[in-house]
Amino acid sequence: MSGTTGTGTGGGLLVAGTTSDAGKSVVTAGICRWLVRRGVKVAPFKGQNMSLNSFVTREGAEIGRAQAMQAQAAKVEPSALMNPVLLKPGSDRSSQVVLLGKPIGELSARGYHGGRQRELFEPVMACLEELRGSHDAVICEGAGSPAEINLRRTDIVNMGIARAARLPVLVVGDIDRGGVFAQFFGTTALLGPEDQSLVAGYLVNKFRGDVTLLEPGLDMLHGLTGRRTYGVLPFAHGLGIDEEDGLRVSLRGAVRESVVAPPVGEDVLRVAVCALPLMSNFTDVDALAAEPGVVVRFVDRAEELVDADLVVVPGTRGTVRALAWLRERGLADALARRAAEGRPVLGICGGFQALGEHIEDEVESRAGSVAGLGLLPVRVRFEREKTLARPVGTALGEDVTGYEIHHGVAQVLGGEAFLDGCRVGAVWGTHWHGSLESDGFRRAFLREVAAAAGRRFVPAPDTSFGTLREEQLDRLGDLIEEHADTDALLRLIEDGAPEGLPFVPPGAP
């Protein structure tokens, strides 16, 4: 592959999955990192993403955090082109629709799939073609399963774009869940003939044990479908970084799965994160979990705050709903007791808003005037225009960078300045996501927390969150390089799906 700068179409691949959380995001990132190591100019792409974990690009566009992570894997700057449609759930039946990085309204699932989704197909394809015209390869991530036969007619993220762009499709299955052969076969057999002609083969994810025991099954699958398996990736801890909305994903989850690094000081520091409804950008606490001696857990009961040295009230797409939830579960009273006792609490974005005195919301919940928890001297008014920004500043004597995604505008009426928010005693609040990824600031903040909590905890002097992230992305690239047939994968990306792939009955109804 050689770089292209004209209007030609570069190579491409669609990474689909037999189910949600099969590993599409990390496989896409791994392929991007493997390719960029080979000198290939590569970009990630996901036509439509449903996630409450998002990111703000330099041009002020909101995209899924998974695509921002994949862009980092590809060593390119994240762009709205990489995730043209982002759906941010506001309830079980409706989502905010973000097009090319900007919100365009709320839609019910029926309204979206009933017609609006097809209207978005043209801008989605335009973004894909623009990326293909300026890159050697574009690695696309699907959503859910390509065999959602009830949604195929309006699909703009799986076989819909594969057909339109003539992309070969690699189907990923999570063997750790069991039933992967049935998933591979069933996914293929539920697609129509034209769709099936693009399904080149399969990739097994999260395999444990002796791969030779799996090989007879792969041979039988090839006999049944006429399609090969391009690799068997072993189960590995700590690779689910910045996926979509599962609590098992991201660096924070990886640290919880592995042995917690020993503390530098005499004590560990315990962090409890309130698992709010519609919790968003919970990746904010990844950097805390990366610190040796910091133990992070998600909680939903008041008694789980008792032994916490720091409580984080994270972002949410439903601040008013989160306030009601905190009150119903007794967590609001527990937070008030902590504040009165001088025990640390950090509110981020929606969590910051909840800690304030008053909320006026005619936009998100349309609840009107709502009392906040009253722990910070802040009044919030929700505006229709969303704030999307990449602020830079200082706090606790350290440089800080972050990103903002919110409709609520905060009026700070007192306290000590803290980023764009404030601090009163041991209660801090800010709209800035990602601030804890700034290493010097994170260490200074943890020293303050440890002092307030009476813990002999000392932050490690050399923890670099950015370096840890790069190491994880390299591990993803290593998995592809070591456990996939990379020569065959490269041919697939360059040349497309093999000719003459057999039809697997019965096909789409």
Side-chain angles (χ1 to χ4, degrees):
M1 287 184 175
S2 59
T4 59
T5 56
T7 58
T9 299
L13 176 70
L14 175 70
V15 178
T18 58
T19 64
S20 295
D21 203 27
K24 298 182 292 292
S25 295
V26 293
V27 167
T28 299
I31 293 174
C32 286
R33 179 51 59 103
W34 159 66
L35 285 173
V36 80
R37 285 173 175 172
R38 295 179 58 100
V40 176
K41 186 180 181 183
V42 59
F45 178 82
K46 185 163 185 172
Q48 171 198 293
N49 194 355
M50 177 174 280
S51 180
L52 287 172
N53 283 333
S54 58
F55 181 77
V56 179
T57 67
R58 282 186 179 170
E59 68 267 27
E62 185 180 9
I63 65 173
R65 269 199 73 107
Q67 281 60 66
M69 175 270 291
Q70 291 160 357
Q72 185 177 350
K75 299 191 175 183
V76 295
E77 187 65 29
S79 161
L81 295 174
M82 298 171 184
N83 179 206
V85 178
L86 174 63
L87 305 179
K88 302 194 72 175
S91 71
D92 292 339
R93 296 188 178 184
S94 69
S95 295
Q96 183 181 69
V97 181
V98 178
L99 176 63
L100 291 174
K102 305 296 181 184
I104 60 172
E106 297 272 341
L107 273 181
S108 67
R110 181 178 294 276
Y112 184 70
H113 292 288
R116 189 62 187 270
Q117 188 177 33
R118 291 300 299 176
E119 295 175 15
L120 299 173
F121 184 73
E122 185 174 335
V124 165
M125 288 304 302
C127 290
L128 175 57
E129 291 309 308
E130 185 171 342
L131 287 174
R132 294 186 79 189
S134 57
H135 293 78
D136 301 335
V138 177
I139 308 303
C140 306
E141 179 188 345
S145 161
E148 306 289 359
I149 55 178
N150 56 316
L151 303 177
R152 175 63 185 89
R153 183 180 60 84
T154 57
D155 172 49
I156 63 171
V157 65
N158 289 308
M159 301 312 298
I161 67 160
R163 282 263 293 274
R166 303 306 301 168
L167 293 172
V169 179
L170 182 69
V171 181
V172 178
D174 179 357
I175 197 170
D176 195 50
R177 295 180 172 187
V180 76
F181 293 117
Q183 292 171 23
F184 284 143
F185 182 87
T187 297
T188 308
L190 278 175
L191 300 177
E194 289 187 70
D195 287 352
Q196 284 197 25
S197 71
L198 295 172
V199 176
Y202 313 110
L203 185 75
V204 176
N205 192 28
K206 299 183 184 178
F207 179 72
R208 305 175 191 253
D210 184 351
V211 74
T212 61
L213 299 176
L214 188 65
E215 288 169 352
L218 300 179
D219 291 340
M220 286 186 275
L221 182 67
H222 185 272
L224 287 165
T225 67
R227 289 159 174 84
R228 59 167 298 170
T229 298
Y230 283 78
V232 178
L233 307 185
F235 189 99
H237 290 284
L239 297 180
I241 50 179
D242 286 8
E243 291 191 83
E244 291 175 3
D245 287 324
L247 283 180
R248 294 187 306 278
V249 303
S250 80
L251 180 60
R252 168 264 316 140
V255 172
R256 289 198 308 163
E257 291 174 1
S258 60
V259 176
V260 176
V264 175
E266 297 180 45
D267 288 344
V268 298
L269 211 59
R270 296 172 177 83
V271 179
V273 184
C274 296
L276 304 177
L278 300 174
M279 183 166 54
S280 62
N281 289 74
F282 52 78
T283 48
D284 283 331
V285 299
D286 287 1
L288 294 178
E291 283 286 345
V294 175
V295 182
V296 177
R297 67 183 189 272
F298 286 81
V299 304
D300 60 4
R301 296 182 301 180
E303 54 269 30
E304 294 177 291
L305 304 190
V306 173
D307 67 344
D309 302 306
L310 169 67
V311 174
V312 178
V313 187
T316 172
R317 250 280 277 160
T319 302
V320 170
R321 178 174 167 184
L323 269 169
W325 181 86
L326 289 167
R327 289 177 168 128
E328 288 165 4
R329 291 176 170 264
L331 287 159
D333 290 337
L335 288 169
R337 286 193 297 272
R338 287 186 67 89
E341 294 165 1
R343 303 177 66 203
V345 176
L346 171 64
I348 303 174
C349 200
F352 164 45
Q353 296 166 5
L355 296 180
E357 297 173 351
H358 184 81
I359 292 171
E360 194 70 32
D361 181 12
E362 299 292 351
V363 176
E364 190 175 77
S365 67
R366 298 181 177 85
S369 296
V370 178
L373 298 184
L375 304 186
L376 290 174
V378 174
R379 299 178 72 85
V380 177
R381 175 180 291 276
F382 277 71
E383 302 289 352
R384 296 200 175 277
E385 185 171 346
K386 181 184 283 189
T387 297
L388 297 168
R390 291 273 293 269
V392 176
T394 60
L396 304 180
E398 300 286 346
D399 294 335
V400 189
T401 62
Y403 57 99
E404 293 183 66
I405 306 169
H406 53 92
H407 285 278
V409 176
Q411 180 185 12
V412 179
L413 302 173
E416 179 184 341
F418 177 69
L419 301 176
D420 71 329
C422 65
R423 170 188 182 179
V424 174
V427 180
W428 293 265
T430 177
H431 273 128
W432 290 24
H433 294 292
S435 61
L436 293 166
E437 295 178 20
S438 298
D439 297 325
F441 166 71
R442 181 180 65 254
R443 287 192 277 270
F445 176 71
L446 289 175
R447 283 192 289 270
E448 294 256 353
V449 168
R455 293 288 185 187
R456 290 170 294 184
F457 169 85
V458 179
D462 55 356
T463 301
S464 167
F465 185 77
T467 298
L468 290 172
R469 172 54 53 88
E470 279 297 309
E471 289 173 355
Q472 279 194 306
L473 294 172
D474 279 334
R475 289 180 65 201
L476 293 178
D478 291 344
L479 278 181
I480 298 298
E481 195 166 331
E482 295 168 9
H483 299 282
D485 186 338
T486 52
D487 289 340
L489 200 55
L490 200 59
R491 287 194 298 272
L492 194 62
I493 293 167
E494 291 179 330
D495 302 332
E499 296 290 334
L501 290 168
F503 174 71
V504 180

